[in-house]
Amino acid sequence: MTQRRDFIKKSLIGSAGMAIGGMGFSAKSYGSIIGANERINVAIVGIRARGVSHINAWCEMKTSHNVRLKTLCDTDEQFFEARSKTVFEKTGIKPLTEWDMRKVLDDKEIDAVSFATPNHWHALGTIWACQAGKHVYVEKPASHNIWEGRKMIEASRKYNKRIQVGFQNRSIPNVMEAIKFLHDGGIGNIHMARGLCIKPRDSFGIAKDSTPPSTLHYDRWLGPAPHRAYNEKRGHYNWHWFWDTGNGDTGNQGPHQFDIARWGLNKNEHPVSVFSSGGIYGIDRTQCEQETPNTQITIAKYNDGKILEFETRGRYSNAESGLGIKIGNIFYGSDGYLEIDGDTWKAYRKQEKVPFAGSKVIGSTEVASLTGSNNTEHFVNFLDAIKSGKDETLHCDINEGHYSSAVPFLANISYRLGRELKFMGDYEKFANDPEADTMLSRRYRSPYVIPSEV
């Protein structure tokens, strides 16, 4: 076992760059060769909702990339039996189950940890994993606030661990093609990117505080968040709509489209100003305790004047654009505009109504054939980066994930304060605005504290 881990840690990380170049292999092809001989042991933390997709993806790679899904971890033990059964049926191996993440991280056999926890656990779990010598795949948004994202970058670099953020569009061939088209000047000089999250959601109701179910380790579930009494309406999935644990739909579905927008604009920097406004509309506020807005408009401006515009509509609405986009992006350039809806894109020249360029493969079924039935390509890319030992192998390294997650975080701060904000990206501070600065981080509940020095 020591030989195997030494091989991964020393041989791959220490000298893979020269070996790959000398043999003429790409990082991906080299990763496939190593994957055929050296097993990667994976643990998943958070197995309820998005965690199911992680389970399916890692199980699918059992043979093709010699992945062993060794451990399932969740603070709610009610999911262990069903999820373990899924893993056994797909791989023939029964995984270990554990509610205590720290015990998973203490396992020397685990090479990588796949996080699908609530947002408020992303950063601390990732940092702990890096400190324990594990590589990390973490869902979007990368963190719960901007300060945490910076600490994650520092942990990745200090402990030489790869962190892939789950912006899966970065590994979808059609989306990659569309972005290249934009960067190559396909619609001229881009001056604005628009993102859309039209996702109607009904009220989830209210409930009285109560005793946590016996299967739930509630203190651990709260983790870094302030202590409060258990309430079933603030738990599973509904945590998205409360500031202590989530970031609303602008910070839930939104980060995917913020990421595509920033990527298409080719902005590897923070915006210099952000304004966001909205509210909770169309539901009876006396029958729902939601804190985050279901309707929100954001305008972020970069130093050169380019605009990133985003809209969240959580009630009934029409779609937009020729593709009928509800979840997607539109880019506006000097010579035309381009639409991206999932895996499909079309470009229009000036005022013409017929697209002059676009994706050749259209439809989720065909995309599945390209990326795997569980869209495993982003996970495969993560494995390639582990084996190459190079952050640049990642399609969405933590640095990229941080910049894309920061924009919706800035939007939410502007929304909560009710005013436009000026941001100094080089310092990750607001300009002469100590009130806004306090919202770049949070107060952490002991012992779930992210230290200044990771």
Side-chain angles (χ1 to χ4, degrees), residues 229-253:
Y230 173 78
N231 189 298
E232 64 178 85
K233 296 299 183 179
R234 297 179 67 128
H236 294 315
Y237 199 76
N238 289 339
W239 56 261
H240 282 293
W241 322 127
F242 297 91
W243 295 119
D244 283 345
T245 49
N247 306 90
D249 240 345
T250 294
N252 172 39
Q253 175 62 50

Side-chain angles (χ1 to χ4, degrees), residues 274-288:
V274 178
F275 176 73
S276 190
S277 182
I280 301 174
Y281 299 95
I283 61 176
D284 185 347
R285 295 297 306 280
T286 66
Q287 297 300 312
C288 184

Side-chain angles (χ1 to χ4, degrees), residues 113-411:
V113 183
S114 194
F115 283 98
T117 63
N119 297 356
H120 70 294
W121 258 110
H122 286 184
L124 185 56
T126 294
I127 291 167
W128 280 355
C130 288
Q131 291 172 335
K134 321 299 185 188
H135 301 283
V136 174
Y137 183 106
V138 61
E139 276 300 328
K140 55 74 201 165
S143 57
H144 186 250
N145 60 59
I146 290 175
W147 184 80
E148 290 181 347
R150 180 55 56 188
K151 296 295 116 180
M152 294 166 80
I153 294 171
E154 291 174 8
S156 171
R157 304 320 186 229
K158 179 176 180 178
Y159 298 102
N160 193 24
K161 297 302 164 188
R162 314 287 78 74
I163 301 178
Q164 174 94 306
V165 181
F167 288 114
Q168 295 89 350
N169 290 289
R170 296 255 176 175
S171 295
I172 296 177
N174 278 1
V175 180
M176 298 166 76
E177 178 186 64
I179 299 300
K180 184 178 186 303
F181 182 85
L182 290 172
H183 290 178
D184 288 346
I187 59 170
N189 184 38
I190 303 167
H191 57 269
M192 184 168 75
R194 177 166 169 76
L196 289 166
C197 172
I198 302 175
K199 209 167 189 177
R201 299 183 188 274
D202 292 326
S203 168
F204 53 81
I206 59 175
K208 293 182 179 180
D209 292 345
S210 60
T211 301
S214 60
T215 59
L216 177 64
H217 298 267
Y218 182 59
D219 184 80
R220 181 59 59 87
W221 184 90
L222 279 176
H227 180 78
R228 56 173 172 74
Y230 173 78
N231 189 298
E232 64 178 85
K233 296 299 183 179
R234 297 179 67 128
H236 294 315
Y237 199 76
N238 289 339
W239 56 261
H240 282 293
W241 322 127
F242 297 91
W243 295 119
D244 283 345
T245 49
N247 306 90
D249 240 345
T250 294
N252 172 39
Q253 175 62 50
H256 284 300
Q257 278 60 59
F258 275 100
D259 180 58
I260 292 175
R262 186 184 67 82
W263 187 16
L265 287 172
N266 210 11
K267 288 298 176 189
N268 300 310
E269 61 196 70
H270 292 299
V272 296
S273 68
V274 178
F275 176 73
S276 190
S277 182
I280 301 174
Y281 299 95
I283 61 176
D284 185 347
R285 295 297 306 280
T286 66
Q287 297 300 312
C288 184
E289 296 181 353
Q290 178 172 341
E291 293 177 346
T292 63
N294 65 4
T295 301
Q296 189 174 357
I297 298 172
T298 298
I299 298 175
K301 185 174 288 188
Y302 288 89
N303 191 50
D304 61 0
K306 292 186 178 182
I307 295 170
L308 193 164
E309 182 184 77
F310 191 85
E311 186 171 0
T312 295
R313 296 183 212 159
R315 299 305 289 156
Y316 315 119
S317 174
N318 59 300
E320 288 193 10
S321 82
L323 286 176
I325 295 174
K326 288 193 172 182
I327 306 293
N329 291 81
I330 309 169
F331 294 88
Y332 302 91
S334 56
D335 297 332
Y337 61 97
L338 182 146
E339 306 168 349
I340 302 177
D341 183 16
D343 59 279
T344 305
W345 68 276
K346 292 182 180 181
Y348 296 81
R349 184 178 287 112
K350 297 184 178 179
Q351 299 187 52
E352 295 177 1
K353 300 187 182 302
V354 177
F356 73 96
S359 51
K360 298 179 178 62
V361 179
I362 300 173
S364 59
T365 301
E366 292 175 78
V367 166
S369 69
L370 290 172
T371 61
S373 60
N374 291 303
N375 296 326
T376 60
E377 189 61 32
H378 206 53
F379 293 91
V380 170
N381 174 250
F382 173 54
L383 295 180
D384 292 339
I386 292 175
K387 294 163 184 173
S388 75
K390 295 176 177 289
D391 292 319
E392 55 268 32
T393 304
L394 290 166
H395 287 167
C396 196
D397 168 60
I398 180 58
N399 191 64
E400 293 283 353
H402 171 58
Y403 276 108
S404 291
S405 300
V407 191
F409 296 157
L410 292 170

Side-chain angles (χ1 to χ4, degrees), residues 441-454:
S441 183
R442 71 181 304 160
R443 291 185 178 181
Y444 293 91
R445 189 173 67 95
S446 180
Y448 308 103
V449 178
I450 295 177
S452 296
E453 294 289 332
V454 296

Side-chain angles (χ1 to χ4, degrees), residues 73-86:
C73 178
D74 200 287
T75 55
D76 196 340
E77 298 187 50
Q78 69 167 300
F79 304 111
F80 286 168
E81 182 177 356
R83 303 300 188 263
S84 296
K85 181 180 179 183
T86 296

